[in-house]
Amino acid sequence: MAYNLQPLITILEGILDPHQPRWIVDENNPQLQSLFDKATCLQKLLDSKSSFTKLDTQIREVVHEAEDIIESHMVHHMLSGSDCVRFTLSTPDLQQVTRHLDSLMEQAEKLLEKGDEKMLRELDSAMEQLKLVDKKMPSSSSYSSKSAVLVGIDEDLMQLKDRLIGQQQKKLEIVPIVGMGGIGKTTLAQKLYEDPLIVDHFAYRAWATISQDYNMQQILKSLLRCITGKECDNHTDELKDMLYKSLFSRKYLIVLDDLWSTRFWDEIKMYFPSNNNGSRIVITTRESDVANHADSSRLQHQVQLLSESESWNLLHQLVFGEEECPLVLQEIGRKIAKDCGGLPLAISVIGGLLSKMERSEDVWRKIGDNVIAAISGSDERCYSILSLSYNHLPNHLKPCFLYMGAFPEDYEIIGSRLVQLWVAEGFVKSNGERCLEEEAEDWLKSLVERNLFMVREYKKNGKPKRYNMHDMLRDLCIRKCDEDKCMNGPNKFTFSNLRRMIFHTSVEMEDVNDSADSMTLTRSVICIGFHRAGFPSGALFAARLLRVLDLRDRPFSTFPAEIFEFVNLRLLRVRGYFSMPRGISRLWNLQTLIAPHCKFDEPAELWKLSELRHLKVDEIELLKDEAMNYSVLKKLQSIVSVKVPKDEATSLDGFLKSVPNIKKLLIDDSLRTTSTAIDLSHLHKLEILKFWFMRTISSPNGFGHCLTVIFPCNIRKVVLMACEMILGAWRTLCALHKLEVLIIYNCSFNETGYDEEWELADRDVFPSLQFLHLELLRIVRWKADETNFPRLRHLRVYHCSKLEEIPSGIGEIPTLQLIELEVCSESAVASAERIVEEQSENGNNDLKLRIESSDDD
C-alpha cells in the first residue's frame, strides 16, 4: 500500500491551528508549516496513484520519525506541568525529516512518470495473454461453469433468467450481479451465459473481462470476436463504431465481467444500442456504487454467502463427488465447511486440499483446527483474488479496512465505535464543511458498498448499526498488517515497537509486559474479548505516546490514576463503577471519553477539555454558570448524561448555548422543581434526544417541561423515561416531521397514574415514525389507527400488562413488518394475533408477530 500520511497531517494541523489554546508556535512555525505543506503534497501525489510499493517502507519510516519527534516533544512539555508552553523543536530534527520528505517526493514523481509507460507495456503483454482466454470463452473455458461444481445458486439463476428473458420490458436493461470477491459472481454469469434458453433467446452474445487496469482496445476486440467470429485489428475508435453497428437492430446479451470503474462504463455505454427489442447487459462487480452508476433505477442482484448446509454440500461434492462421506468425517467435515464462512472460493480451495489428503479423522481435524490458515497456506490464488479489492481501495480507506483485522473472528463492532477509533487514530481528513465523524461514516458506507464490510445489525430506523468482515478478508488484513508492520496480528508479537497493540487474551498482554521497550512508541492499546479485572501493568506504562486506550473489556473497581500520565490520549474507554479523581483535565487532547458508570470528583474539569467530541458517563451535574467554562465545548457532539441541578435552569440554558454541534443528548431533570421552558431550537444538528424525569408541576396543558420544549427540526429519535404524557403532549411530538424512533418508558398518561388511556386524535400524526417502543406503561386502553402512524415498520410493546388490546387499525399500516410483545395481557396478545391473521387473509404475509412471555411462565 502507499502509506497514509493523514495521521501526521492531523497532528500538524492541530499545532498550527491559530485558534488552538495549548501552544505558542513562534520560531518553529516556518519549519512546521513547511513540513505540513510537504506532507500534504506527498499525500496528494500518493492519492493520485494507488501503488508506490517501492517507497512504502521509506515513507512509513519517515512519517513515523516525524510523528515520534513531534509527539514526544508535546508529551514531554505536557508532563512538565506547564499550562501553556512555547512549541519549540530542534531545528536539525525538523530539517532532517523535511529533507527526507523532499527526497521521497522526487522519487514518487519519477516513479509516476516511469510507471505510466511501464504499466502500459505490462498491460499490453497481459492483454495479449488474455486473448487466449477470451478466444475460449464461453464454450470451452478452463473455468467453465459446465465443469464447475455449483451449489446454492438455483434461486439466483431463476431470478436472473427471469430478468433476462422472462420480463416483457423491450428497452435495453442493465442487470448488475454484485458481491464480494470469491463469492461466485463470474461462475453465476457464466452459467447464465451458457444456459440453452438464454442462447436461444438472444441472437448475439458477447463476453469481456474488464479487470482493474482495463485496455479498451482489447475489450472491444473480445466483444467483436464473440459477435463476428473474426479478429479485428482496427484502432479503438473504429472498433467502437464496429461494435455499435454490429449490435444495431439485433437482440443481444453482453456480459461485462469484473467491472471496477465507473469511467469504463461511461466510455463504452454509448456503443450499446437500445434497439427496443429486449436486449440485456449483465455486469459483475464487487462495488455497489459501480452498479448504481451503470443504472441506479435497477435492482442489484446481491449474491449471498452460502448457508451451512449449502457449504457442506459443496465441500462434499468437491471431495467425494458421488461417493458417500464416511461417518467418521462428517462432523469435522461440516465444521470445516462452516468455518469457510459461506465463501465458495474458500470452500473450493479447502476442498481441493482435502481431496488430495488422507481421508482420516486425525488429518481432517488438523485442517479443522484452523481452516483459514490452511486455505492461506495452500493456495495463493485465494489471497490474490481478495487482494484485488484491497489494492483498488483509495489510500484513505486502506488503513480503515486494515483496522478491522485487529478484532477477533466473527467480532461485531458498533459503527459509531469504529468511527471514533478512526478519528482518534488520525485517519480521517477534515474538509472544513463536515465534521470528521460524518466523513468517516461515509467511508464506512463505502467499505460496505465495496463488499469488504458486512452489516450484521440494523438500528430501529433501518440504518446500519453493527459491522464485521468475512474471515478470509480478515486474514487478508492480518497479512497486510504483517507486511506493513502497522499492528500486531492475533498471537503475533514481534516486540519491535508496533504502532498498535491489540490484545485478545490476558496471556498476550502478560507476554508484552516482559518487554517495556516494545511499547515506547505504541499509539494504540485495545483489549478485546477477555474480561480480566484490573488495570494492565508493566510495559503499558512505557507507552507515553498513546492516542487510543480502549479497555472496555477490563473492568475496574477504582479508576487507575496512572492513565492521567497518557497526556497524548484522544480516546479513552474504560468500564467499572467508580468515581474519577481529579486529573482528567491533563488529557488535553482527549476527543472521546466512554466510561458508562463513572462519576466525577471534579466535574468542572471536563469543561477544560477543548477537543472533547463524545462523552458517555454515569451523570454530570451542571454547575452554576460562573463555575463552568462553556466556551470550549464547540466540538462536543454527544453527551450522556447531563443532570440539571435543583432550581438551576440557567445552568442548563448556558450549557445548551455552548454546544451548537451536539447530535446526541440525555437530560436528567429529576432534581429540578421549577417549571421553565427548554429551548433547543438552536441545536440544528441534534438528532437523538433523551429525557429523564420531566415532570408536570403546574402547567394546565400537561407534559410538564416537555410541553414547553422548543425542539430543533432535525430530531430523529426521542426517548422519554419517567415523564408525564398528558393531554396535548402529542401535538408537540407530532410536529417533529423527521422523527423516526420514539421510545416511551415508564411514563404516565394522567395525573393519577390509574386507569390510564392513550387516545390519539385524527390530527395526531407521526409522519415519519418507523419504530415505536412502549415499555412499563400503565395504559389500559390505546386508541389509534393507521392514520396516526402512516410509516410505522416495527411496534414493540414490553411489560404493559394492563393494556387490553392493540388497536386493530394498526394492522392497516402498509409499511408495518413486525409486532413484538413481551409480558403483555392475554387479551393484548390475542388482539395482535387477530391483526396478523386478518392481514394474512387479505394477502399481506409480510407482517410478522413475535411474542415472548416472562421466564416464570
Side-chain angles (χ1 to χ4, degrees), residues 745-797:
Y745 175 88
N746 195 25
C747 295
S748 59
F749 286 71
N750 66 26
E751 295 180 357
T752 65
Y754 296 100
D755 198 25
E756 297 182 356
E757 181 176 291
W758 180 19
E759 181 176 1
L760 292 173
D762 292 341
R763 58 179 174 171
D764 296 333
V765 179
F766 295 83
S768 300
L769 196 67
Q770 298 180 35
F771 176 72
L772 176 61
H773 177 105
L774 310 175
E775 184 170 358
L776 285 175
L777 304 183
R778 293 178 290 276
I779 56 173
V780 177
R781 289 171 297 279
W782 177 19
K783 297 181 180 180
D785 58 30
E786 69 277 13
T787 62
N788 302 118
F789 308 102
R791 295 187 179 179
L792 193 67
R793 296 196 310 172
H794 186 175
L795 170 64
R796 178 189 286 170
V797 184

Short mmCIF file of all heavy atoms in Angstrom, two decimals, residues 745-797:
data_model
loop_
_atom_site.label_atom_id
_atom_site.label_comp_id
_atom_site.label_asym_id
_atom_site.label_seq_id
_atom_site.Cartn_x
_atom_site.Cartn_y
_atom_site.Cartn_z
N TYR A 745 -40.85 5.01 28.02
CA TYR A 745 -40.51 4.06 29.06
C TYR A 745 -40.99 4.57 30.42
O TYR A 745 -40.62 5.67 30.85
CB TYR A 745 -38.99 3.85 29.08
CG TYR A 745 -38.47 2.97 30.18
CD1 TYR A 745 -38.40 1.59 30.01
CD2 TYR A 745 -38.06 3.50 31.40
CE1 TYR A 745 -37.93 0.77 31.03
CE2 TYR A 745 -37.59 2.70 32.42
CZ TYR A 745 -37.52 1.33 32.24
OH TYR A 745 -37.06 0.52 33.24
N ASN A 746 -41.84 3.79 31.08
CA ASN A 746 -42.27 4.09 32.44
C ASN A 746 -42.84 5.50 32.57
O ASN A 746 -42.58 6.21 33.54
CB ASN A 746 -41.10 3.91 33.41
CG ASN A 746 -41.56 3.84 34.86
OD1 ASN A 746 -42.70 3.49 35.14
ND2 ASN A 746 -40.68 4.22 35.78
N CYS A 747 -43.60 5.91 31.60
CA CYS A 747 -44.23 7.23 31.62
C CYS A 747 -45.68 7.10 32.05
O CYS A 747 -46.29 6.03 31.93
CB CYS A 747 -44.15 7.89 30.25
SG CYS A 747 -42.46 8.25 29.72
N SER A 748 -46.27 8.19 32.54
CA SER A 748 -47.68 8.19 32.95
C SER A 748 -48.48 9.03 31.97
O SER A 748 -47.97 9.98 31.38
CB SER A 748 -47.83 8.74 34.36
OG SER A 748 -47.33 10.06 34.45
N PHE A 749 -49.77 8.66 31.83
CA PHE A 749 -50.63 9.31 30.85
C PHE A 749 -51.76 10.10 31.51
O PHE A 749 -52.62 10.63 30.83
CB PHE A 749 -51.20 8.26 29.89
CG PHE A 749 -50.19 7.76 28.90
CD1 PHE A 749 -49.15 6.95 29.31
CD2 PHE A 749 -50.25 8.12 27.56
CE1 PHE A 749 -48.21 6.49 28.41
CE2 PHE A 749 -49.31 7.68 26.66
CZ PHE A 749 -48.28 6.85 27.08
N ASN A 750 -51.81 10.13 32.82
CA ASN A 750 -52.69 11.06 33.52
C ASN A 750 -52.09 11.37 34.89
O ASN A 750 -51.08 10.79 35.30
CB ASN A 750 -54.12 10.51 33.63
CG ASN A 750 -54.22 9.27 34.51
OD1 ASN A 750 -53.40 9.05 35.40
ND2 ASN A 750 -55.22 8.44 34.25
N GLU A 751 -52.69 12.29 35.60
CA GLU A 751 -52.11 12.78 36.85
C GLU A 751 -52.19 11.75 37.99
O GLU A 751 -51.37 11.76 38.90
CB GLU A 751 -52.80 14.08 37.26
CG GLU A 751 -52.53 15.21 36.27
CD GLU A 751 -53.22 16.50 36.69
OE1 GLU A 751 -53.95 16.46 37.70
OE2 GLU A 751 -53.03 17.51 36.01
N THR A 752 -53.19 10.86 37.91
CA THR A 752 -53.34 9.89 39.00
C THR A 752 -52.49 8.66 38.82
O THR A 752 -52.09 8.02 39.78
CB THR A 752 -54.81 9.45 39.10
OG1 THR A 752 -55.18 8.73 37.91
CG2 THR A 752 -55.73 10.65 39.25
N GLY A 753 -52.20 8.32 37.55
CA GLY A 753 -51.43 7.12 37.29
C GLY A 753 -52.27 5.86 37.25
O GLY A 753 -51.74 4.75 37.13
N TYR A 754 -53.63 5.99 37.36
CA TYR A 754 -54.50 4.82 37.36
C TYR A 754 -55.44 4.86 36.16
O TYR A 754 -55.85 5.94 35.71
CB TYR A 754 -55.33 4.75 38.66
CG TYR A 754 -54.47 4.58 39.89
CD1 TYR A 754 -54.15 5.66 40.70
CD2 TYR A 754 -53.97 3.32 40.23
CE1 TYR A 754 -53.37 5.51 41.83
CE2 TYR A 754 -53.18 3.15 41.36
CZ TYR A 754 -52.88 4.25 42.15
OH TYR A 754 -52.08 4.08 43.25
N ASP A 755 -55.81 3.66 35.67
CA ASP A 755 -56.78 3.55 34.58
C ASP A 755 -56.45 4.52 33.45
O ASP A 755 -57.28 5.29 32.98
CB ASP A 755 -58.20 3.81 35.11
CG ASP A 755 -59.26 3.28 34.15
OD1 ASP A 755 -58.95 2.35 33.39
OD2 ASP A 755 -60.37 3.83 34.14
N GLU A 756 -55.21 4.46 33.00
CA GLU A 756 -54.74 5.41 32.01
C GLU A 756 -55.21 5.05 30.60
O GLU A 756 -55.41 3.88 30.28
CB GLU A 756 -53.21 5.49 32.04
CG GLU A 756 -52.68 6.00 33.37
CD GLU A 756 -51.17 6.13 33.39
OE1 GLU A 756 -50.54 5.76 32.38
OE2 GLU A 756 -50.63 6.60 34.39
N GLU A 757 -55.35 6.08 29.78
CA GLU A 757 -55.78 5.89 28.40
C GLU A 757 -54.94 6.76 27.49
O GLU A 757 -54.62 7.90 27.83
CB GLU A 757 -57.26 6.28 28.27
CG GLU A 757 -57.82 6.10 26.86
CD GLU A 757 -59.30 6.39 26.78
OE1 GLU A 757 -60.08 5.61 27.35
OE2 GLU A 757 -59.66 7.41 26.15
N TRP A 758 -54.56 6.17 26.36
CA TRP A 758 -53.79 6.93 25.36
C TRP A 758 -54.65 7.01 24.12
O TRP A 758 -54.81 6.03 23.39
CB TRP A 758 -52.47 6.24 25.08
CG TRP A 758 -51.62 6.96 24.06
CD1 TRP A 758 -51.73 8.24 23.67
CD2 TRP A 758 -50.53 6.42 23.31
NE1 TRP A 758 -50.78 8.57 22.73
CE2 TRP A 758 -50.03 7.45 22.49
CE3 TRP A 758 -49.93 5.16 23.27
CZ2 TRP A 758 -48.96 7.25 21.62
CZ3 TRP A 758 -48.86 4.97 22.41
CH2 TRP A 758 -48.38 6.00 21.59
N GLU A 759 -55.20 8.17 23.90
CA GLU A 759 -56.09 8.36 22.75
C GLU A 759 -55.48 9.40 21.80
O GLU A 759 -55.20 10.54 22.19
CB GLU A 759 -57.47 8.83 23.20
CG GLU A 759 -58.43 9.03 22.04
CD GLU A 759 -59.83 9.39 22.48
OE1 GLU A 759 -60.06 9.50 23.71
OE2 GLU A 759 -60.70 9.57 21.60
N LEU A 760 -55.27 8.97 20.58
CA LEU A 760 -54.73 9.85 19.56
C LEU A 760 -55.87 10.34 18.66
O LEU A 760 -56.66 9.53 18.15
CB LEU A 760 -53.68 9.13 18.72
CG LEU A 760 -52.38 8.78 19.46
CD1 LEU A 760 -51.49 7.91 18.58
CD2 LEU A 760 -51.63 10.04 19.87
N ALA A 761 -55.94 11.64 18.46
CA ALA A 761 -56.94 12.21 17.58
C ALA A 761 -56.51 12.07 16.12
O ALA A 761 -55.36 11.72 15.83
CB ALA A 761 -57.16 13.68 17.93
N ASP A 762 -57.42 12.34 15.21
CA ASP A 762 -57.11 12.22 13.78
C ASP A 762 -55.94 13.11 13.38
O ASP A 762 -55.16 12.75 12.50
CB ASP A 762 -58.34 12.58 12.95
CG ASP A 762 -59.45 11.55 13.09
OD1 ASP A 762 -59.14 10.43 13.53
OD2 ASP A 762 -60.61 11.88 12.79
N ARG A 763 -55.82 14.26 14.03
CA ARG A 763 -54.75 15.19 13.65
C ARG A 763 -53.41 14.84 14.30
O ARG A 763 -52.40 15.48 14.01
CB ARG A 763 -55.15 16.61 14.03
CG ARG A 763 -55.44 16.79 15.51
CD ARG A 763 -55.81 18.23 15.80
NE ARG A 763 -56.22 18.39 17.19
CZ ARG A 763 -56.42 19.57 17.77
NH1 ARG A 763 -56.22 20.67 17.07
NH2 ARG A 763 -56.79 19.64 19.03
N ASP A 764 -53.39 13.87 15.21
CA ASP A 764 -52.14 13.44 15.84
C ASP A 764 -51.43 12.44 14.94
O ASP A 764 -51.60 11.23 15.05
CB ASP A 764 -52.42 12.81 17.21
CG ASP A 764 -53.02 13.79 18.19
OD1 ASP A 764 -52.76 15.00 18.04
OD2 ASP A 764 -53.75 13.36 19.11
N VAL A 765 -50.62 12.95 14.05
CA VAL A 765 -49.97 12.12 13.04
C VAL A 765 -48.46 12.21 13.20
O VAL A 765 -47.89 13.31 13.27
CB VAL A 765 -50.36 12.56 11.61
CG1 VAL A 765 -49.64 11.71 10.56
CG2 VAL A 765 -51.87 12.47 11.43
N PHE A 766 -47.81 11.05 13.27
CA PHE A 766 -46.35 10.95 13.28
C PHE A 766 -45.90 10.60 11.86
O PHE A 766 -45.82 9.42 11.51
CB PHE A 766 -45.89 9.88 14.27
CG PHE A 766 -46.22 10.18 15.70
CD1 PHE A 766 -47.47 9.91 16.22
CD2 PHE A 766 -45.26 10.78 16.52
CE1 PHE A 766 -47.77 10.19 17.54
CE2 PHE A 766 -45.55 11.06 17.85
CZ PHE A 766 -46.81 10.77 18.36
N PRO A 767 -45.62 11.58 11.02
CA PRO A 767 -45.47 11.34 9.59
C PRO A 767 -44.30 10.45 9.19
O PRO A 767 -44.35 9.79 8.16
CB PRO A 767 -45.32 12.74 9.01
CG PRO A 767 -44.82 13.58 10.15
CD PRO A 767 -45.44 13.00 11.37
N SER A 768 -43.21 10.43 10.00
CA SER A 768 -42.01 9.68 9.61
C SER A 768 -41.66 8.57 10.58
O SER A 768 -40.63 7.90 10.40
CB SER A 768 -40.82 10.63 9.47
OG SER A 768 -41.06 11.62 8.49
N LEU A 769 -42.47 8.35 11.60
CA LEU A 769 -42.12 7.39 12.64
C LEU A 769 -42.08 5.96 12.09
O LEU A 769 -43.02 5.49 11.46
CB LEU A 769 -43.14 7.45 13.78
CG LEU A 769 -42.70 6.77 15.09
CD1 LEU A 769 -41.53 7.54 15.72
CD2 LEU A 769 -43.86 6.66 16.07
N GLN A 770 -40.93 5.27 12.34
CA GLN A 770 -40.74 3.90 11.86
C GLN A 770 -40.74 2.88 13.00
O GLN A 770 -41.11 1.73 12.79
CB GLN A 770 -39.42 3.79 11.10
CG GLN A 770 -39.35 4.67 9.87
CD GLN A 770 -38.03 4.53 9.15
OE1 GLN A 770 -37.43 3.45 9.10
NE2 GLN A 770 -37.53 5.61 8.57
N PHE A 771 -40.35 3.31 14.19
CA PHE A 771 -40.23 2.39 15.31
C PHE A 771 -40.86 3.02 16.55
O PHE A 771 -40.52 4.14 16.94
CB PHE A 771 -38.76 2.06 15.58
CG PHE A 771 -38.53 1.19 16.79
CD1 PHE A 771 -38.88 -0.16 16.76
CD2 PHE A 771 -37.98 1.70 17.95
CE1 PHE A 771 -38.67 -0.97 17.88
CE2 PHE A 771 -37.76 0.91 19.07
CZ PHE A 771 -38.11 -0.44 19.03
N LEU A 772 -41.80 2.29 17.16
CA LEU A 772 -42.47 2.76 18.37
C LEU A 772 -42.29 1.70 19.46
O LEU A 772 -42.69 0.55 19.28
CB LEU A 772 -43.95 3.00 18.11
CG LEU A 772 -44.81 3.40 19.33
CD1 LEU A 772 -44.31 4.71 19.92
CD2 LEU A 772 -46.28 3.50 18.93
N HIS A 773 -41.69 2.09 20.57
CA HIS A 773 -41.41 1.19 21.69
C HIS A 773 -42.16 1.69 22.91
O HIS A 773 -41.95 2.83 23.37
CB HIS A 773 -39.91 1.15 21.97
CG HIS A 773 -39.52 0.31 23.14
ND1 HIS A 773 -38.94 -0.94 22.99
CD2 HIS A 773 -39.60 0.51 24.48
CE1 HIS A 773 -38.69 -1.45 24.19
NE2 HIS A 773 -39.09 -0.58 25.11
N LEU A 774 -43.01 0.85 23.48
CA LEU A 774 -43.76 1.17 24.69
C LEU A 774 -43.36 0.17 25.76
O LEU A 774 -43.47 -1.04 25.55
CB LEU A 774 -45.27 1.09 24.42
CG LEU A 774 -45.79 1.84 23.19
CD1 LEU A 774 -47.27 1.57 23.00
CD2 LEU A 774 -45.53 3.34 23.31
N GLU A 775 -42.92 0.67 26.92
CA GLU A 775 -42.45 -0.25 27.97
C GLU A 775 -42.83 0.26 29.35
O GLU A 775 -42.72 1.46 29.65
CB GLU A 775 -40.93 -0.42 27.87
CG GLU A 775 -40.38 -1.44 28.86
CD GLU A 775 -38.92 -1.78 28.62
OE1 GLU A 775 -38.35 -1.26 27.65
OE2 GLU A 775 -38.37 -2.58 29.38
N LEU A 776 -43.28 -0.68 30.20
CA LEU A 776 -43.64 -0.39 31.59
C LEU A 776 -44.62 0.77 31.68
O LEU A 776 -44.48 1.68 32.51
CB LEU A 776 -42.38 -0.09 32.42
CG LEU A 776 -41.51 -1.29 32.79
CD1 LEU A 776 -40.24 -0.84 33.49
CD2 LEU A 776 -42.27 -2.28 33.66
N LEU A 777 -45.64 0.72 30.84
CA LEU A 777 -46.68 1.74 30.87
C LEU A 777 -47.91 1.18 31.58
O LEU A 777 -48.17 -0.03 31.56
CB LEU A 777 -47.05 2.18 29.45
CG LEU A 777 -45.89 2.71 28.58
CD1 LEU A 777 -46.41 3.18 27.23
CD2 LEU A 777 -45.15 3.84 29.28
N ARG A 778 -48.70 2.09 32.17
CA ARG A 778 -49.89 1.67 32.90
C ARG A 778 -51.17 1.89 32.10
O ARG A 778 -52.27 1.88 32.67
CB ARG A 778 -49.96 2.43 34.23
CG ARG A 778 -48.84 2.06 35.20
CD ARG A 778 -48.89 2.86 36.47
NE ARG A 778 -48.56 4.25 36.26
CZ ARG A 778 -47.31 4.73 36.22
NH1 ARG A 778 -46.28 3.90 36.36
NH2 ARG A 778 -47.08 6.01 36.02
N ILE A 779 -51.03 2.11 30.81
CA ILE A 779 -52.22 2.37 30.00
C ILE A 779 -53.09 1.11 29.91
O ILE A 779 -52.58 -0.01 29.80
CB ILE A 779 -51.86 2.88 28.59
CG1 ILE A 779 -50.94 1.90 27.87
CG2 ILE A 779 -51.25 4.25 28.64
CD1 ILE A 779 -50.68 2.28 26.42
N VAL A 780 -54.40 1.33 29.95
CA VAL A 780 -55.38 0.25 29.84
C VAL A 780 -55.96 0.22 28.44
O VAL A 780 -56.11 -0.85 27.83
CB VAL A 780 -56.51 0.43 30.88
CG1 VAL A 780 -57.57 -0.67 30.72
CG2 VAL A 780 -55.94 0.43 32.29
N ARG A 781 -56.25 1.40 27.92
CA ARG A 781 -56.83 1.50 26.58
C ARG A 781 -55.96 2.37 25.69
O ARG A 781 -55.45 3.41 26.14
CB ARG A 781 -58.26 2.08 26.66
CG ARG A 781 -59.29 1.11 27.27
CD ARG A 781 -60.60 1.81 27.52
NE ARG A 781 -60.46 2.88 28.52
CZ ARG A 781 -60.45 2.68 29.82
NH1 ARG A 781 -60.56 1.45 30.30
NH2 ARG A 781 -60.34 3.70 30.66
N TRP A 782 -55.78 1.93 24.46
CA TRP A 782 -54.98 2.67 23.47
C TRP A 782 -55.82 2.82 22.22
O TRP A 782 -56.23 1.81 21.61
CB TRP A 782 -53.68 1.92 23.20
CG TRP A 782 -52.80 2.54 22.14
CD1 TRP A 782 -52.84 3.82 21.69
CD2 TRP A 782 -51.75 1.91 21.42
NE1 TRP A 782 -51.88 4.05 20.74
CE2 TRP A 782 -51.20 2.88 20.56
CE3 TRP A 782 -51.22 0.62 21.44
CZ2 TRP A 782 -50.14 2.58 19.70
CZ3 TRP A 782 -50.16 0.33 20.58
CH2 TRP A 782 -49.63 1.30 19.73
N LYS A 783 -56.13 4.05 21.85
CA LYS A 783 -56.95 4.33 20.68
C LYS A 783 -56.09 4.99 19.61
O LYS A 783 -55.60 6.11 19.80
CB LYS A 783 -58.13 5.22 21.05
CG LYS A 783 -59.09 4.56 22.06
CD LYS A 783 -60.26 5.48 22.38
CE LYS A 783 -61.20 4.81 23.37
NZ LYS A 783 -62.36 5.68 23.71
N ALA A 784 -55.92 4.28 18.51
CA ALA A 784 -55.12 4.80 17.39
C ALA A 784 -55.43 3.96 16.17
O ALA A 784 -56.03 2.87 16.26
CB ALA A 784 -53.63 4.73 17.72
N ASP A 785 -55.02 4.43 14.98
CA ASP A 785 -55.19 3.65 13.76
C ASP A 785 -54.07 3.98 12.80
O ASP A 785 -53.10 4.67 13.14
CB ASP A 785 -56.57 3.88 13.13
CG ASP A 785 -56.82 5.34 12.78
OD1 ASP A 785 -55.84 6.07 12.48
OD2 ASP A 785 -57.99 5.77 12.80
N GLU A 786 -54.22 3.49 11.56
CA GLU A 786 -53.15 3.63 10.57
C GLU A 786 -52.87 5.08 10.20
O GLU A 786 -51.76 5.41 9.74
CB GLU A 786 -53.48 2.83 9.30
CG GLU A 786 -54.64 3.36 8.47
CD GLU A 786 -56.00 2.90 8.97
OE1 GLU A 786 -56.08 2.37 10.11
OE2 GLU A 786 -56.98 3.05 8.22
N THR A 787 -53.83 5.97 10.39
CA THR A 787 -53.60 7.38 10.03
C THR A 787 -52.64 8.06 10.98
O THR A 787 -51.98 9.04 10.61
CB THR A 787 -54.93 8.15 10.01
OG1 THR A 787 -55.51 8.13 11.32
CG2 THR A 787 -55.90 7.52 9.01
N ASN A 788 -52.53 7.57 12.21
CA ASN A 788 -51.62 8.18 13.19
C ASN A 788 -50.16 7.80 12.95
O ASN A 788 -49.25 8.57 13.30
CB ASN A 788 -52.01 7.76 14.61
CG ASN A 788 -53.44 8.14 14.97
OD1 ASN A 788 -54.27 7.27 15.23
ND2 ASN A 788 -53.75 9.43 14.96
N PHE A 789 -49.92 6.62 12.39
CA PHE A 789 -48.56 6.13 12.16
C PHE A 789 -48.43 5.62 10.72
O PHE A 789 -48.29 4.41 10.49
CB PHE A 789 -48.22 5.00 13.14
CG PHE A 789 -48.46 5.34 14.58
CD1 PHE A 789 -49.59 4.88 15.25
CD2 PHE A 789 -47.55 6.13 15.29
CE1 PHE A 789 -49.81 5.18 16.58
CE2 PHE A 789 -47.77 6.43 16.62
CZ PHE A 789 -48.90 5.97 17.27
N PRO A 790 -48.47 6.48 9.73
CA PRO A 790 -48.54 6.03 8.33
C PRO A 790 -47.32 5.27 7.83
O PRO A 790 -47.41 4.55 6.85
CB PRO A 790 -48.73 7.34 7.55
CG PRO A 790 -48.18 8.40 8.45
CD PRO A 790 -48.49 7.95 9.83
N ARG A 791 -46.15 5.43 8.50
CA ARG A 791 -44.92 4.78 8.02
C ARG A 791 -44.30 3.83 9.05
O ARG A 791 -43.14 3.43 8.93
CB ARG A 791 -43.88 5.83 7.63
CG ARG A 791 -44.31 6.69 6.44
CD ARG A 791 -43.19 7.59 5.99
NE ARG A 791 -43.59 8.39 4.85
CZ ARG A 791 -42.81 9.29 4.25
NH1 ARG A 791 -41.57 9.50 4.72
NH2 ARG A 791 -43.23 9.98 3.22
N LEU A 792 -45.06 3.44 10.06
CA LEU A 792 -44.53 2.58 11.10
C LEU A 792 -44.13 1.22 10.54
O LEU A 792 -44.88 0.60 9.79
CB LEU A 792 -45.58 2.39 12.20
CG LEU A 792 -45.08 1.78 13.51
CD1 LEU A 792 -44.12 2.73 14.22
CD2 LEU A 792 -46.25 1.42 14.42
N ARG A 793 -42.93 0.76 10.91
CA ARG A 793 -42.44 -0.55 10.46
C ARG A 793 -42.38 -1.57 11.60
O ARG A 793 -42.50 -2.76 11.37
CB ARG A 793 -41.03 -0.42 9.85
CG ARG A 793 -40.96 0.43 8.61
CD ARG A 793 -39.67 0.23 7.86
NE ARG A 793 -38.49 0.35 8.72
CZ ARG A 793 -37.26 0.06 8.35
NH1 ARG A 793 -37.04 -0.39 7.13
NH2 ARG A 793 -36.24 0.20 9.17
N HIS A 794 -42.18 -1.09 12.83
CA HIS A 794 -41.94 -2.01 13.94
C HIS A 794 -42.62 -1.44 15.19
O HIS A 794 -42.32 -0.32 15.62
CB HIS A 794 -40.43 -2.14 14.16
CG HIS A 794 -40.03 -3.16 15.18
ND1 HIS A 794 -38.71 -3.49 15.42
CD2 HIS A 794 -40.76 -3.93 16.04
CE1 HIS A 794 -38.64 -4.40 16.37
NE2 HIS A 794 -39.89 -4.68 16.77
N LEU A 795 -43.52 -2.21 15.77
CA LEU A 795 -44.17 -1.86 17.03
C LEU A 795 -43.71 -2.85 18.09
O LEU A 795 -43.84 -4.06 17.93
CB LEU A 795 -45.69 -1.92 16.90
CG LEU A 795 -46.49 -1.81 18.21
CD1 LEU A 795 -46.27 -0.45 18.86
CD2 LEU A 795 -47.97 -2.07 17.96
N ARG A 796 -43.16 -2.33 19.19
CA ARG A 796 -42.71 -3.18 20.28
C ARG A 796 -43.42 -2.75 21.56
O ARG A 796 -43.36 -1.56 21.94
CB ARG A 796 -41.20 -3.08 20.46
CG ARG A 796 -40.66 -3.92 21.62
CD ARG A 796 -39.21 -3.62 21.89
NE ARG A 796 -38.35 -4.20 20.88
CZ ARG A 796 -37.04 -3.92 20.77
NH1 ARG A 796 -36.48 -3.06 21.59
NH2 ARG A 796 -36.32 -4.50 19.83
N VAL A 797 -44.08 -3.70 22.23
CA VAL A 797 -44.80 -3.44 23.47
C VAL A 797 -44.24 -4.38 24.53
O VAL A 797 -44.42 -5.60 24.45
CB VAL A 797 -46.32 -3.64 23.31
CG1 VAL A 797 -47.04 -3.26 24.60
CG2 VAL A 797 -46.85 -2.80 22.14
#
